[in-house]
Amino acid sequence: MHIPDGFLDAKTWISTTIIGAGAVSYSLRKSKLSLEPNKIPMVALIGAFVFAAQMINFPIAGATSGHFLGGAMTSILFGPWIGTIVMAAVLLVQAIVFQDGGITVLGANILCTGFIGCFTGNGIYMLGIKLLKGRGRAALTFIASWMSIVAAASGVALLLALSGTFELATAIQAMVGWHMLIGIGEGVITMLVTGYLMERSTAIPARGGQAAYENVPRHRA
Amino acid sequence: MRTFRVTAHRTKWIVMAVITIATAAVLSPWASSHPDGLERVAEDHGFLHQATAWNKLALIPGYELSSIKWTAASVGLTGLIGIAVMAGALWGLTRLLTRSGGGRNEQSAPDGIKLKHDNG
């Protein structure tokens, strides 16, 4: 779902560039507060995994393919701020080194697949964990990541409509339609990876809605 | 309430690294070449021709090294370069973030002590 240059008109790409830059710099500030030094290799590896997995287009239907995005996965693992940073870094490398996704639309891509994807995925996951008291995590992860793709696709549709490329209702119908299928792949991959890399926390959850994956003591295998 | 955290088990992260390398190097040449969701929509609604690329300086446009004739090797190698760049960039960035966080520099203290100990 990488928007190339030329799909968005000037007012849309300029404003999404500004908002995107703001979202990234704010995420950097928030990440600084929540990032522990022992997470560095994990974050770097997950970023590499997101890049690798995004290369793998899987066929869906009607001579169309889809690929993993990773916003839900990174934000479930590390929280939405670090998630946004990882996604922004992936999009940046893809656009600069591999010409995948445009330069003018980097802000738009970071906002849709990064920011919206991370916050939708993490938001639904955290809410579900709270409501279900931690039960049904696998199903919850699937739903959260599926929703993150649908939300990201709606974001892209909205920007296309704002650019006058096509009408909002048609744009949403077309984008969401395909990404409801692609979201299944996203859900499965996110479920498998987070299922493997996450474990029951014995630490007492921090107060004030603080995510439980933060400030946990490190132990070695 | 059950809470969850990212595992610190080394083996699991090593497995994850192996999966990442295998995906980038071995699986990538077999990816579907059909248009993705957005490209499909753009094609169906007649605006795919609007796509351009501002970035003419991309080192490896389209994930293929033109100098290598064998496509599978070309894409696989590109995947490896990609994950190396990605991991390196994020390692550097997150290191910078934790360094400039203030009060997080205690990490260097034990190293210093250890070094002294080794010398003695």
Side-chain angles (χ1 to χ4, degrees), chain B residues 17-76:
Chain B
V18 172
I19 292 172
T20 302
I21 293 166
T23 306
V26 184
L27 211 57
S28 60
W30 279 272
S32 164
S33 53
H34 287 313
D36 75 1
L38 177 59
E39 287 165 343
R40 163 60 57 207
V41 170
E43 203 179 307
D44 290 352
H45 293 265
F47 61 91
L48 190 60
H49 66 276
Q50 286 182 26
T52 56
W54 277 41
N55 179 13
K56 304 288 181 217
L57 302 170
L59 290 172
I60 314 171
Y63 299 92
E64 269 186 62
L65 292 158
S66 48
S67 52
I68 299 174
K69 292 282 178 290
W70 185 26
T71 318
S74 166
V75 177

Side-chain angles (χ1 to χ4, degrees), chain A residues 8-9 11-12 16 156-166 168:
Chain A
L8 303 182
D9 67 355
K11 73 166 190 312
T12 310
T16 48
V156 172
L158 180 69
L159 296 181
L160 287 172
L162 282 173
S163 301
T165 311
F166 57 154
L168 183 62

Side-chain angles (χ1 to χ4, degrees), chain A residues 112-166:
Chain A
C112 293
T113 58
F115 199 73
I116 296 175
C118 286
F119 276 85
T120 307
N122 183 269
I124 293 169
Y125 173 81
M126 291 307 285
L127 185 73
I129 287 284
K130 207 167 262 181
L131 290 177
L132 301 169
K133 302 195 183 345
R135 286 186 298 261
R137 186 167 65 101
L140 181 62
T141 303
F142 181 88
I143 294 164
S145 24
W146 184 84
M147 291 289 288
S148 80
I149 295 301
V150 171
S154 310
V156 172
L158 180 69
L159 296 181
L160 287 172
L162 282 173
S163 301
T165 311
F166 57 154

Side-chain angles (χ1 to χ4, degrees), chain B:
Chain B
M1 176 173 153
R2 290 183 194 173
T3 53
F4 302 90
R5 67 175 177 205
V6 173
T7 184
H9 281 79
R10 224 160 251 266
T11 327
K12 288 198 167 189
W13 287 98
I14 292 167
V15 169
M16 195 63 198
V18 172
I19 292 172
T20 302
I21 293 166
T23 306
V26 184
L27 211 57
S28 60
W30 279 272
S32 164
S33 53
H34 287 313
D36 75 1
L38 177 59
E39 287 165 343
R40 163 60 57 207
V41 170
E43 203 179 307
D44 290 352
H45 293 265
F47 61 91
L48 190 60
H49 66 276
Q50 286 182 26
T52 56
W54 277 41
N55 179 13
K56 304 288 181 217
L57 302 170
L59 290 172
I60 314 171
Y63 299 92
E64 269 186 62
L65 292 158
S66 48
S67 52
I68 299 174
K69 292 282 178 290
W70 185 26
T71 318
S74 166
V75 177
L77 189 61
T78 303
L80 283 178
I81 295 170
I83 57 169
V85 170
M86 221 40 258
L90 276 170
W91 196 300
L93 176 70
T94 47
R95 214 177 138 85
L96 216 67
L97 283 178
T98 52
R99 276 281 166 85
S100 57
R104 288 182 183 271
N105 294 339
E106 313 97 275
Q107 278 271 319
S108 57
D111 287 349
I113 293 162
K114 205 173 140 201
L115 216 114
K116 224 167 149 185
H117 189 74
D118 287 348
N119 289 341

Side-chain angles (χ1 to χ4, degrees), chain A residues 29 31 36-37 45 48 55 58 63 88 96 108 115 145 152 162-163 169 178 180 184 186-187 196 199 211:
Chain A
R29 258 180 37 203
S31 303
E36 298 146 55
L45 176 56
M55 284 182 83
F58 48 84
I96 293 172
F115 199 73
S145 24
L162 282 173
S163 301
W178 286 110
M180 278 167 74
I184 296 171
E186 182 85 12
Y196 185 63
E199 61 193 11

